[in-house]
């Protein structure tokens, strides 16, 4: 390119402009930030289901740790409602409600199946969780009633 410095600069700018004009425009938010599409952040669902989305055991465990934190937050929220349930029970003997537990387990098994989660894993997890919450609720009701 044997033109003046100014011509060279304009040519380079024109090329840059051309290259960005050819590229498909990324969707942006109203304030101009690039919208990251979900597929770019998380692996595609089938890969995740097949368990082939991670490159190392450490990466797998990072995902598991993050999910465990979400589960714990939901358990803390569940606990507040279990304590609320305790307020409506007149005695420790009324805390355990087998009919309610059976209904929860039936619902959880059906939902797990829809979500692609093993219903047996879901049932075992919920039975253990409800048993622990029930003991906690008994302590709470026992502290309030004779
Ligand atoms: O629903 C209630 O009555 C509760 O006290 C909550 C809960 C639960 O953890 O889901 C706990 C104890 C009962 O056995 C039934 C269910």
């Amino acid at each position: 390119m044997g033109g003046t410095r100014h011509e060279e600069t304009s040519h380079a700018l024109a090329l840059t402009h051309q290259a960005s004009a050819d590229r498909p425009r990324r969707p942006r938010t109203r304030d101009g930030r690039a919208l990251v599409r979900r597929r770019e952040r998380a692996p595609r669902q089938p890969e995740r289901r097949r368990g082939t989305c991670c490159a190392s055991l450490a990466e797998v465990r990072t995902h598991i740790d993050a999910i465990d934190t979400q589960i714990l937050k939901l358990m803390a929220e569940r606990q507040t409602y279990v304590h609320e349930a305790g307020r409506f029970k007149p005695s420790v003997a009324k805390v355990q409600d087998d009919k309610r537990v059976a209904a929860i387990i039936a619902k959880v098994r059906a939902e797990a199946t829809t979500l692609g989660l093993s219903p047996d894993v879901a049932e075992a997890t919920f039975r253990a969780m409800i048993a622990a919450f029930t003991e906690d609720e008994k302590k709470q009701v026992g502290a309030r009633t004779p």
Side-chain angles (χ1 to χ4, degrees):
M1 239 183 290
T4 64
R5 199 184 163 83
H6 172 73
E7 278 167 348
E8 276 173 30
T9 311
S10 332
H11 184 65
L13 278 176
L15 278 180
T16 312
H17 183 74
Q18 186 59 40
S20 63
D22 288 347
R23 242 182 285 131
R25 275 182 56 76
R26 289 197 103 187
R28 298 198 169 268
T29 60
R30 231 173 287 161
D31 56 357
R33 281 177 295 122
L35 257 183
V36 179
R37 282 196 214 100
R38 198 168 174 72
R39 214 184 307 141
E40 292 173 28
R41 279 189 272 123
R44 283 165 198 261
Q45 195 63 13
E47 274 175 12
R48 224 179 9 212
R49 258 195 241 126
R50 280 197 308 267
T52 56
C53 61
C54 297
S56 67
L57 182 56
E59 193 184 333
V60 170
R61 288 178 177 171
T62 300
H63 285 288
I64 290 175
D65 287 349
I67 289 167
D68 288 349
T69 300
Q70 291 182 43
I71 292 171
L72 284 168
K73 283 180 184 168
L74 290 172
M75 284 177 71
E77 195 180 341
R78 190 181 199 281
Q79 181 181 267
T80 65
Y81 290 108
V82 172
H83 285 176
E84 276 285 284
R87 291 201 308 120
F88 296 98
K89 305 213 179 159
S91 66
V92 173
K94 296 279 183 192
V95 168
Q96 179 73 40
D97 184 336
D98 293 339
K99 261 178 82 176
R100 171 64 179 155
V101 174
I104 294 173
I105 296 301
K107 183 168 175 285
V108 153
R109 285 190 69 92
E111 285 181 0
T113 304
T114 306
L115 292 167
L117 165 67
S118 157
D120 291 342
V121 169
E123 177 172 346
T125 305
F126 272 76
R127 280 200 188 280
M129 182 176 73
I130 292 168
F133 274 131
T134 302
E135 287 312 305
D136 191 48
E137 191 182 329
K138 279 181 183 170
K139 277 189 212 149
Q140 176 213 351
V141 174
R144 198 197 67 224
T145 61

